Amino acid sequence: MAISLLIRLGATVVLFMALPSLVERWATYFQISPVFEGILAIVACFGACLPVLTIFQNSD
């Protein structure tokens, strides 16, 4: 369990570091308005949390 948690935390950290710059590049490339850029940033943060959140999918 501890190894799985560390792997998932590592994946989350990597995603938190990579997704904001990726969202910014996509917003510049596709010329997305700032409102939708903010929505994309929120979705990116939620997506970065998914590796850790999947640990709790079978818990009671």
Side-chain angles (χ1 to χ4, degrees), residues 8-32:
R8 289 170 191 259
L9 283 174
T12 299
V13 168
V14 168
L15 288 173
F16 267 127
M17 298 306 255
L19 285 178
S21 63
L22 183 65
V23 167
E24 185 178 340
R25 287 180 187 169
W26 282 356
T28 324
Y29 181 75
F30 292 112
Q31 297 177 349
I32 298 173

Side-chain angles (χ1 to χ4, degrees), residues 35-59:
V35 172
F36 294 117
E37 186 177 347
I39 293 170
L40 281 175
I42 292 168
V43 170
C45 288
F46 180 73
C49 293
L50 281 179
V52 173
L53 292 176
T54 55
I55 291 175
F56 305 108
Q57 68 185 358
N58 294 328
S59 65

